[in-house]
Every structure is written in C-alpha cells, then in structure tokens.
C-alpha cells in the first residue's frame, strides 16, 4: 500500500516509519528543505509540495491512501482555514481528479472541536461545540474530509487526536514547576496517534466515520502533576483553580476559552475496532521521560556531593 502523508511532521514521521516497517510504501510531503531532510532521515521517500499550492501536488506520486496531517503552525484562524479547509479541499481535488484516485483519505483533526462539556464524557456521537475560531475551522475541515471525497469516488475518515506527547514533547517543566490549573487532560502518545492511523488503513476500518484517538485514562491536571512529581522525586507543584487563573488575567481570548473547556474523551470506539495501544495511559507513556528526569536528578546530586 502506498500512502502519501501530506504534512509529514511529528506524527507523520512516526506513521511513515511504522508503515515502512510493516512493508508499505510511505511518501512524506513537506514544504521545506528541513522537512524533507527529516523524512529522508526516517528512511522513506520525501517530496516537496505545499497543500496550499495546487500545482505543487503534481509532484506527489499516486497513492492508495492519503493522510492529511498538515499543520498551520499554531497560527490564527485565518491561516488555519487556508491549510485545514482550503488546503484539504485542494488536496482532495488534486488526488481525486487523477486517472487513479486514492481509495481513501484520513484527515487528522483535534478533540478541540468538542468545546466545553463541564468535565462530562464525550464520544463520536457527541455534538460538536467548538469554543474558538480555530476549533470552528477544524470542525468545518472535518465536514470537508467526510463529504468531499465521495464526489471523487473514495471515502474519508476523521481521526480526532487528543493532546499529543512523546519524544521531544513531554514538557515536564510545565507540570513540575506549576502553577497547574485544574481541569482534565486528554492525551495520546505520538506512537499511538500514528499507530491508530496505520491500523485504520491496514485493516480498512472507519470509512466515512470519525474516530476519537485518545488513551484509556483522561486525568485531572492536578492528579497528573502530582503523579509526575512523585515519580520524578521532586516536590509537588503549586495549583490554582480556573477561577484563580482567570482572575490573574493576562490571557488572550483564545487562551481563556481553552482554559474554560473541560471534557473527558472516550476511546471506546477505537477499542471496539480492535486497536491495541502501545501506551494505554500516561503512566506508560511518560515512563521514558520520568526515568530520564530521575537520572538527570541523580547525576546532578552526585555532582553536588563531589
């Protein structure tokens, strides 16, 4: 199976590695030279193209499946629309009008499309209530991913990623130093984000459907921060309530809305489809980072004694 990964970044590189190991032919697509070098360093083919430039996609070979994992770089809603909606429409048309179009598309979205549910559980049947302009754009892109491909004879799937973490993205300091604001964390390790997409493609599952990609155990930020501190052997961080953090000010409107959204995401559907997590909870996924932090602390302590 040949898979074109548009926006082959943090998750895309791991997806390519997993597909390659499984005997498939991944093709990573990035718009920068540095991006292409990262793809080549991962051992598979890279092509320079940009989803916002239709003609550049002509350089991408035909594929059995297309994974749209492009990023707007965390920028404002206008730029997000250019990439996630306009770029997605461009990619679907570019591949769909080929003599041999792909059989399916996977669009990687975010659990941010749910908005605030007061800490209640959400799943694929929960109505979307995006709380920010960027989340509204993501919700619109999901509709495009499901509705546009059938016009060209193939099908789309939406993979809604929870908060990504893993190598180079553990961000221990954020939780160890604090202050930590209350609320729920919904997380998924990078390897499982990539693994779930690979699984859906290999097993030919979830055509025309949304799938929540999140681990088994949403956790309170306070609980997570205390566990992390205990495991790293440091003092537990200071904590603040949402009200206290809001009263302190200094938040943008988008940050304020993110702060006041709370939910717990269920992976029951992904589990029903048969996916087995490499890192079922944060306890498994953060073990490498915790062990490294403890080693660093031990070495620092040893130096102090000397």
């Amino acid at each position: 199976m040949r898979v074109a990964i548009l926006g082959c970044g943090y998750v895309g590189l791991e997806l390519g590695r997993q597909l390659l190991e499984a005997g498939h032919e991944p093709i990573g697509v990035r718009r920068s030279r540095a991006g292409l070098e990262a793809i080549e360093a991962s051992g598979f083919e890279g092509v320079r193209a940009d989803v916002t430039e239709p003609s550049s996609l002509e350089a991408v070979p035909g594929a059995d499946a297309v994974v749209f994992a492009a990023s707007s770089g965390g920028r404002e809603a206008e730029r997000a629309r250019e990439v996630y909606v306009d770029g997605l429409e461009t990619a679907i048309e570019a591949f769909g009008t080929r003599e041999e179009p792909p059989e399916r598309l996977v669009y990687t979205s975010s659990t941010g499309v749910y908005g605030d549910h007061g800490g209640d559980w959400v799943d694929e049947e929960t109505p979307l209530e995006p709380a920010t302009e960027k989340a509204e754009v993501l919700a619109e892109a999901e509709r495009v991913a499901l509705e546009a491909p059938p016009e060209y004879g193939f099908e789309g799937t939406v993979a809604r990623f929870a908060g990504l973490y893993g190598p180079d993205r553990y961000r221990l300091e954020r939780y160890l130093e604090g202050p930590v604001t209350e609320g729920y964390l919904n997380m998924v390790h990078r390897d499982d984000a990539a693994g779930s997409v690979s699984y859906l493609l290999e097993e030919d599952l979830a055509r025309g459907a949304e799938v929540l990609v999140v681990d088994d155990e949403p956790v309170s930020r306070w609980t997570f921060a205390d566990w992390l501190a205990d495991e790293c052997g440091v003092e537990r961080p200071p904590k603040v309530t949402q009200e206290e953090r809001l009263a302190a000010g200094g938040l943008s409107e988008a940050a304020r809305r993110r702060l006041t959204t709370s939910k717990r995401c269920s992976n029951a559907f992904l589990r029903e489809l048969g996916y087995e997590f490499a890192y079922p909870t944060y306890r498994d996924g953060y073990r490498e980072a915790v062990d490294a932090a403890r080693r660093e602390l031990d070495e620092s302590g040893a130096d102090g004694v000397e």
Side-chain angles (χ1 to χ4, degrees):
M1 175 173 57
R2 178 183 285 174
V3 181
I5 307 169
L6 309 183
C8 190
Y10 188 61
V11 174
L13 289 170
E14 177 61 23
L15 173 60
R17 288 188 286 264
Q18 291 186 22
L19 288 169
L20 187 66
E21 185 177 347
H24 302 294
E25 185 182 351
I27 299 170
V29 178
R30 292 286 292 272
R31 61 188 177 195
S32 69
R33 167 51 57 185
L36 289 181
E37 290 173 354
I39 293 169
E40 292 165 1
S42 295
F44 56 98
E45 181 182 356
V47 175
R48 192 168 189 171
D50 188 332
V51 297
T52 65
E53 298 178 4
S55 61
S56 72
L57 292 173
E58 295 175 4
V60 184
D64 302 300
V66 174
V67 176
F68 190 97
S71 170
S72 65
R75 300 176 191 172
E76 66 280 353
E78 182 178 350
R79 174 57 179 168
R81 177 173 294 279
E82 291 177 4
V83 175
Y84 299 128
V85 177
D86 300 340
L88 179 58
E89 289 176 335
T90 295
I92 291 171
E93 181 179 2
F95 283 91
T97 53
R98 293 186 176 189
E99 185 175 339
E100 294 185 11
E103 294 183 8
R104 62 184 304 187
L105 164 87
V106 176
Y107 166 67
T108 62
S109 186
S110 164
T111 57
V113 296
Y114 285 107
D116 182 34
H117 287 268
D120 288 342
W121 286 93
V122 300
D123 60 19
E124 290 79 3
E125 301 301 318
T126 304
L128 304 187
E129 300 176 4
T132 66
E133 290 184 16
K134 186 172 181 179
E136 290 175 356
V137 170
L138 293 175
E140 183 177 348
E142 288 192 3
R143 291 193 291 273
V144 171
L146 294 177
E147 295 175 2
E151 297 176 13
Y152 300 95
F154 61 105
E155 295 174 280
T157 297
V158 171
R160 285 184 190 137
F161 291 161
L164 293 165
Y165 73 96
D168 300 320
R169 287 199 188 182
Y170 289 111
R171 303 185 179 99
L172 297 186
E173 295 80 7
R174 174 187 297 180
Y175 297 100
L176 293 179
E177 295 176 3
V180 179
T181 306
E182 67 178 327
Y184 281 105
L185 286 171
N186 297 277
M187 298 186 284
V188 65
H189 193 283
R190 176 205 63 184
D191 293 6
D192 282 312
S196 64
V197 173
S198 177
Y199 179 77
L200 295 177
L201 290 174
E202 289 189 290
E203 301 299 320
D204 196 22
L205 297 169
R207 286 175 177 255
E210 303 98 339
V211 182
L212 260 169
V213 181
V214 60
D215 69 20
D216 288 346
E217 191 176 334
V219 61
S220 147
R221 288 189 179 91
W222 289 358
T223 298
F224 174 70
D226 284 348
W227 173 85
L228 201 58
D230 292 347
E231 291 296 308
C232 290
V234 299
E235 291 186 8
R236 292 181 172 184
K239 304 172 184 67
V240 296
T241 65
Q242 286 186 0
E243 290 75 13
E244 289 170 334
R245 181 64 187 91
L246 291 170
L251 295 171
S252 66
E253 180 61 20
R256 188 192 68 79
R257 289 186 180 184
R258 285 194 298 270
L259 181 66
T260 55
T261 60
S262 180
K263 59 188 176 293
R264 285 175 286 173
C265 298
S266 168
N267 67 8
F269 181 46
L270 183 57
R271 283 291 196 180
E272 288 173 8
L273 291 173
Y275 181 70
E276 294 294 333
F277 283 80
Y279 302 99
T281 77
Y282 62 88
R283 298 181 191 84
D284 309 293
Y286 269 84
R287 180 50 51 196
E288 177 183 347
V290 165
D291 290 345
R294 290 202 70 112
R295 284 194 300 271
E296 183 176 341
L297 184 63
D298 291 343
E299 290 170 3
S300 174
D303 291 343
V305 171
E306 292 176 356

